[in-house]
Amino acid sequence: STTFTEDLDCLASKFGIEHNISRMGVELRGPSVAMPEAKAELQQLLDFYLKGQQQQEQRQAEMDRAAMARMAEERQRQEAAEWAAWEAAVQQWQQ
């Protein structure tokens, strides 16, 4: 699987430009004639990676919700079993 940095290296090679990733973002340097197309392709890369990240976060949230639902169901089953055991104990004491 390719990483963002590898894709960015490929983009830089394709357009004959340099790139730098910093806290401020991604900086592209090179001939001004190459910049409009390089920026457009960079935006496509960013969209691809951000969409993938959002999808992963959505999948994780769905898995978390499903796990919480299973835990709630298990807790309800356990509480029902404990209640039934309590009722049985009370009936034995009353006899």
Side-chain angles (χ1 to χ4, degrees):
S1 146
T2 330
T3 66
F4 176 74
T5 304
E6 291 170 335
D7 283 338
L8 191 56
D9 288 341
C10 183
L11 179 139
S13 295
K14 177 179 176 180
F15 291 102
I17 60 175
E18 297 177 357
H19 65 84
N20 183 40
I21 301 174
S22 69
R23 289 185 203 173
M24 301 299 291
V26 178
E27 177 186 8
L28 301 179
R29 294 181 303 269
S32 60
V33 70
M35 285 300 136
E37 289 185 42
K39 287 179 183 177
E41 194 161 318
L42 175 61
Q43 188 59 56
Q44 291 175 349
L45 273 178
L46 290 170
D47 291 345
F48 171 78
Y49 279 95
L50 290 173
K51 189 182 300 176
Q53 185 177 14
Q54 289 171 347
Q55 288 175 346
Q56 178 61 30
E57 289 170 357
Q58 286 175 346
R59 280 193 297 271
Q60 185 62 48
E62 289 169 7
M63 289 177 8
D64 290 347
R65 279 192 294 276
M68 296 276 292
R70 284 192 304 274
M71 289 171 56
E73 289 172 5
E74 179 57 33
R75 187 173 57 245
Q76 287 176 344
R77 277 194 295 275
Q78 188 174 3
E79 288 173 358
E82 289 172 357
W83 183 253
W86 171 255
E87 287 180 326
V90 169
Q91 284 179 355
Q92 281 184 345
W93 292 330
Q94 290 176 348
Q95 291 176 357

